Amino acid sequence: MMQYFIYSDYLIWIIMRVVVTIVTTLLVTKIFHKIWNLFDTNTLHQKFIYNVLHVAIWTIGIIVTLQRIPQFADAAVALVAGSGIIALTIGLAAQESLSNALNGLFISISKPFEVGDRIHLVNANITGFVEDITIRHTVIRTFMNSRIIIPNSVINQELIENSNFCNPQASSFIDVIVTYDSDIKIACDIMARVIGDHENFIDTRTIEQLETDPKVPVFVRTLGLYGVELRASMWTANIANNFAACSDVRKSIFYEFKKAGICIASGKIIDSLIQRSNI
């Protein structure tokens, strides 16, 4: 059939068919994208389905485009039909892609995390926010605003620590070491008041605990070498605002301690204690 290419009309006809197919594929992709954006599509399951359908549209478009070229289609069919080695090679090469696609499907169904969740991959020691999931990989955005692309087959075998799973509330310890000559009761009262009055603090007590348990319990963690170690927990609605809330609380505790004459164990005090212990 190669002799048909000597006729310009036939060549133009093939080019037109290819162009029309490509343009149609582009239009279908844009229409699909606009329709999809009309709905709330920010969940993990919806992201995965979107990427699967997007790849499917382009795969069909490429196949139809190749079929528009009779010479290429005939050569491809003859080559694949006559060579088992090529077919085997393609099959082996597709194993990894198929594995990633299946693992992506399992992740999408089981939902160990959602888009926007903060996760920590224990074995890989990677922490960040889930940004996207495709047929091949999952995208993690780190705190440095870089992206880590992890194959789905890898992330599906990871130990995942999810700060948003089931209950998004987050807690961090507020630890303070005060000197032995400080008034411990006043120090505990200040910590409880500052933490409890913060706008982002979440009271996690049950109805039964409201009358018996303090709003913010402050514990004496240990009577250490350098002073009395106090600990309280800062609860917030989610992990995203916990770090900033803890920072605010620590600054407020520092200023309130200065007003009340509560002395935080400093480097000079610690050095002095070490020197005394060496005498």
Side-chain angles (χ1 to χ4, degrees):
M1 297 182 66
M2 291 297 295
Q3 66 269 22
Y4 290 153
F5 275 104
I6 62 174
Y7 300 107
S8 59
D9 291 343
Y10 183 74
L11 179 59
I12 293 174
W13 171 243
I14 292 178
I15 293 174
M16 288 178 62
R17 294 176 67 189
V18 170
V19 171
V20 169
T21 304
I22 295 174
V23 171
T24 302
T25 304
L26 290 171
L27 289 175
V28 171
T29 303
K30 289 185 177 181
I31 293 172
F32 166 71
H33 182 70
K34 289 183 178 180
I35 295 175
W36 191 268
N37 286 337
L38 295 176
F39 306 95
D40 183 14
T41 58
N42 201 34
T43 66
L44 185 77
H45 190 63
Q46 291 167 337
K47 284 271 190 180
F48 182 76
I49 292 176
Y50 170 81
N51 285 297
V52 169
L53 294 177
H54 190 267
V55 171
I57 291 172
W58 274 103
T59 301
I60 294 172
I62 292 173
I63 293 174
V64 174
T65 301
L66 295 178
Q67 289 178 342
R68 299 300 186 189
I69 309 175
Q71 290 73 16
F72 185 86
D74 293 344
V77 171
L79 185 62
V80 173
S83 178
I85 296 177
I86 293 179
L88 179 62
T89 302
I90 294 174
L92 292 174
Q95 280 186 353
E96 184 176 353
S97 298
L98 181 60
S99 174
N100 286 322
L102 290 175
N103 280 281
L105 177 62
F106 294 149
I107 293 172
S108 174
I109 294 174
S110 60
K111 294 184 179 179
F113 48 78
E114 266 291 357
V115 174
D117 284 0
R118 177 190 175 186
I119 65 173
H120 173 67
L121 306 183
V122 178
N123 295 330
N125 194 26
I126 295 173
T127 302
F129 297 89
V130 179
E131 193 168 76
D132 194 9
I133 181 170
T134 69
I135 294 179
R136 180 190 175 275
H137 57 257
T138 299
V139 182
I140 306 296
R141 174 172 55 84
T142 68
F143 295 103
M144 303 300 292
N145 202 37
S146 61
R147 271 65 177 176
I148 300 179
I149 313 300
I150 306 175
N152 292 328
S153 58
V154 174
I155 201 169
N156 199 35
Q157 298 179 4
E158 267 282 354
L159 294 176
I160 301 175
E161 178 184 343
N162 189 345
S163 302
N164 300 86
F165 193 76
C166 293
N167 184 358
Q169 293 179 351
S171 173
S172 293
F173 290 130
I174 303 294
D175 292 324
V176 181
I177 304 177
V178 299
T179 58
Y180 281 105
D181 58 351
S182 298
D183 191 316
I184 305 302
K185 184 180 183 306
I186 295 178
C188 291
D189 290 343
I190 290 174
M191 289 182 65
R193 174 171 54 82
V194 170
I195 294 173
D197 290 345
H198 194 277
E199 60 181 357
N200 289 330
F201 176 77
I202 298 296
D203 192 346
T204 59
R205 292 178 296 175
T206 63
I207 297 177
E208 294 77 11
Q209 294 174 328
L210 290 177
E211 296 181 358
T212 58
D213 295 353
K215 182 179 179 180
V216 181
V218 180
F219 302 97
V220 176
R221 188 182 178 197
T222 184
L223 302 177
L225 176 62
Y226 309 127
V228 181
E229 300 183 18
L230 306 178
R231 167 172 287 184
S233 295
M234 179 65 187
W235 284 91
T236 56
N238 52 65
I239 193 67
N241 58 17
N242 191 267
F243 183 81
C246 288
S247 176
D248 293 340
V249 164
R250 291 187 182 100
K251 287 188 290 186
S252 297
I253 289 175
F254 172 76
Y255 291 122
E256 292 297 321
F257 274 11
K258 289 189 69 176
K259 292 179 183 178
I262 305 297
C263 186
I264 297 176
S266 65
K268 291 183 179 179
I269 296 175
I270 293 174
D271 291 340
S272 176
L273 290 172
I274 293 175
Q275 290 176 1
R276 291 180 184 178
S277 64
N278 291 333
I279 295 176

